[in-house]
Amino acid sequence: MVNTKHLLLALGASVAAAIAVPAATHAQSIAYQPVLESDGVVVMAAQWPQGTARRVIPPRVAGDLSWPVERAQALLEAVATMADEGLDPADYRPDGLRAAIAAGPGERLDRVAGEVFARLVADLRDGRTPIAARRAYLMDDPDAALLPTAVLQERALASGDVAGVLASLTPAHPDYAALRTALAQTSDPARRALIRANMDRWRWLPRELGGINVMVNVPEYMVRLTINGQTANSYRAIVGRPGTSATPQMFEMIEGVILNPTWTVPQSIVVGEGLGGRVLGNPSWARTMGYTASRSGGTTTVVQQPGPRNALGLMKIDMPNAHAIFLHDTPSRSLFAQPNRALSHGCVRVERALEFAMTLSILGGGPGVEQAMGISRSGDYTRVPLTRQIPVYLAYFTLGVNDAGELTEFRDVYSRDAPVLASLAQRDTRPL
């Protein structure tokens, strides 16, 4: 059992600092939706317990979307810098844009410049890699709704800062900056390709990750809790086995913490691994393991009750999703010492799980450590709701910054690099 005093020390000053952050900064930007008000001002609006939060975007330009030559020239210069972002400037047809500029203002320049700008926005905001090449990518990236291309184009034309508007779309995370720096410092083709692939993976995520968020990097077998852009705590993780149990790439919201969870065993284990037959055929063993079974319409349902043998351990993170993937504890904690930790059925097991759960409870407006520890010791199934939801990202970076601050390559445990590398190496031939 975890010692309460030691747990309080483990949580550290980072939690107290985070509690002082205004509630709205804890939110993930997916909660915001673009709203065009009657005065032509675009706002991002969301309902919070404290009232409506509004994030104002500069007013829309009242007029046409024509591209003056000087704005189009600024766009051409921005295209030339895309190699710095791991993108291929040739994808954006600079020769065609240059020719349209030479022909002067008019319908042709407006069309070509508008299409080049839209392609740049899409790749910088949403990622260059096609969805088909992002294996097990189940994220719903809100950026296209939050940062509409038309609004960005109007802003670029109104301000004249075309490069600045485009630069505002690049990921703000320090790991992206580290990859960008590494790209500028190497000429090795294989190294550059890997850097470009992982830069693009950052673009697959929402640009605003939330003032408080949880990031799981599957190939690294690590979970990190980030507060205001700084890593507050990191935890070793156990992720899904390669194949059908591989952990997907997901973005969900943590709505609560479940202490002393029950485990409704997936049918892939009940039937596929024969657990249902074993539970029904060996009642004594089933009682020892905490399993109960019921049959209905030919289907066997197996539930493991809370207890020291429960496969979910002492806690489960409540992050509702259609794929039944979540973060949880494990009774097999010795496995965290293994270098290869792709061992689960797809969910993510978290080291120091009670510390992790208590921290999330405090940051999410739930019970403090003493109360939560009392619930944990009771042995009773208890869902602790969070009044402040926290985003969690299950990502897949094979090149990233480790806890020592070093850019490190991680084993491509699910062989997901190849399709990304192939798509980035192939010229974008889609017509503008």
Side-chain angles (χ1 to χ4, degrees):
M1 181 61 66
V2 176
N3 182 283
T4 304
K5 179 180 179 181
H6 292 170
L7 183 55
L8 284 165
L9 293 173
L11 298 183
S14 60
V15 173
I19 294 173
V21 177
T25 67
H26 292 276
Q28 160 60 23
S29 58
I30 194 172
Y32 288 86
Q33 293 298 326
V35 177
L36 178 61
E37 296 190 340
S38 58
D39 58 0
V41 175
V42 175
V43 303
M44 301 303 181
Q47 289 294 327
W48 298 99
Q50 298 86 347
T52 301
R54 299 169 77 254
R55 182 179 303 170
V56 178
I57 289 178
R60 287 177 173 267
V61 176
D64 61 58
L65 293 177
S66 61
W67 280 83
V69 167
E70 65 274 12
R71 300 284 199 269
Q73 183 62 40
L75 178 62
L76 181 62
E77 293 169 3
V79 167
T81 69
M82 286 301 105
D84 297 339
E85 306 301 333
L87 299 171
D88 185 352
D91 284 345
Y92 310 101
R93 314 295 199 278
D95 291 342
L97 178 57
R98 191 175 292 109
I101 292 172
E107 182 180 345
R108 177 186 176 190
L109 181 57
D110 295 344
R111 176 182 58 80
V112 173
E115 290 171 349
V116 169
F117 184 86
R119 178 72 59 82
L120 283 168
V121 166
D123 289 353
L124 289 169
R125 180 190 61 201
D126 309 322
R128 164 69 170 75
T129 306
I131 296 295
R134 308 178 191 185
R135 292 180 178 169
Y137 178 80
L138 307 177
M139 293 189 186
D140 183 14
D141 183 355
D143 287 346
L146 295 173
L147 300 165
T149 302
V151 173
L152 295 170
Q153 182 170 339
E154 290 168 356
R155 185 187 303 172
L157 288 169
S159 67
D161 187 12
V162 177
V165 170
L166 292 171
S168 71
L169 299 174
T170 58
H173 198 280
D175 279 26
Y176 181 86
L179 289 165
R180 194 178 190 275
T181 299
L183 185 68
Q185 294 175 342
T186 184
S187 59
D188 177 73
R191 180 72 170 176
R192 288 183 63 83
L194 186 62
I195 293 171
R196 293 178 65 213
N198 284 278
M199 290 177 76
D200 206 48
R201 284 176 168 134
W202 278 108
R203 291 188 279 264
W204 305 355
L205 297 172
R207 189 180 185 280
E208 294 187 24
L209 300 175
I212 296 176
N213 67 76
V214 174
M215 180 71 69
V216 180
N217 185 19
V218 170
E220 190 184 6
Y221 309 130
M222 291 295 294
V223 176
R224 290 186 176 86
L225 173 64
T226 299
I227 302 175
N228 294 335
Q230 302 294 319
T231 299
N233 287 312
S234 59
Y235 309 85
R236 292 183 181 183
I238 294 169
V239 302
R241 295 191 297 266
T244 58
S245 294
T247 300
Q249 301 176 80
M250 295 172 54
F251 157 44
E252 303 295 339
M253 300 298 289
I254 298 174
E255 298 182 0
V257 174
I258 298 174
L259 299 174
N260 306 309
T262 58
W263 181 40
T264 300
V265 185
Q267 287 298 301
S268 60
I269 299 175
V270 173
V271 178
E273 298 185 16
L275 180 64
R278 189 177 182 190
V279 170
L280 292 171
N282 192 338
S284 176
W285 173 83
R287 282 193 299 272
T288 300
M289 297 298 296
Y291 289 120
T292 60
S294 60
R295 291 180 60 84
S296 177
T299 299
T300 300
T301 299
V302 176
V303 177
Q304 191 177 32
Q305 300 304 311
R309 298 178 183 271
N310 187 285
L312 304 185
L314 299 176
M315 78 89 190
K316 167 188 170 181
I317 299 302
D318 187 16
M319 41 184 281
N321 63 87
H323 314 286
I325 298 293
F326 46 86
L327 280 61
H328 65 87
D329 186 19
T330 175
S332 303
R333 299 186 180 95
S334 62
L335 297 177
F336 289 112
Q338 295 190 13
N340 175 15
R341 298 195 292 277
L343 305 169
S344 81
H345 286 87
C347 290
V348 177
R349 306 174 196 169
V350 185
E351 180 190 35
R352 308 195 321 275
L354 267 187
E355 174 193 324
F356 180 64
M358 305 301 177
T359 305
L360 293 179
S361 177
I362 294 172
L363 296 178
V369 172
E370 294 285 357
Q371 183 181 353
M373 285 299 297
I375 296 171
S376 178
R377 292 193 185 102
S378 75
D380 296 330
Y381 173 98
T382 305
R383 181 185 181 275
V384 177
L386 302 186
T387 59
R388 182 184 296 126
Q389 295 184 7
I390 297 173
V392 55
Y393 304 92
L394 276 59
Y396 194 91
F397 295 104
T398 53
L399 189 63
V401 178
N402 64 17
D403 282 347
E406 302 163 337
L407 193 63
T408 305
E409 185 172 344
F410 309 112
R411 185 168 70 91
D412 182 13
V413 62
Y414 300 153
S415 301
R416 290 180 182 167
D417 274 349
V420 181
L421 295 170
S423 69
L424 292 176
Q426 185 176 9
R427 180 66 51 82
D428 189 343
T429 58
R430 293 174 298 168
L432 287 172

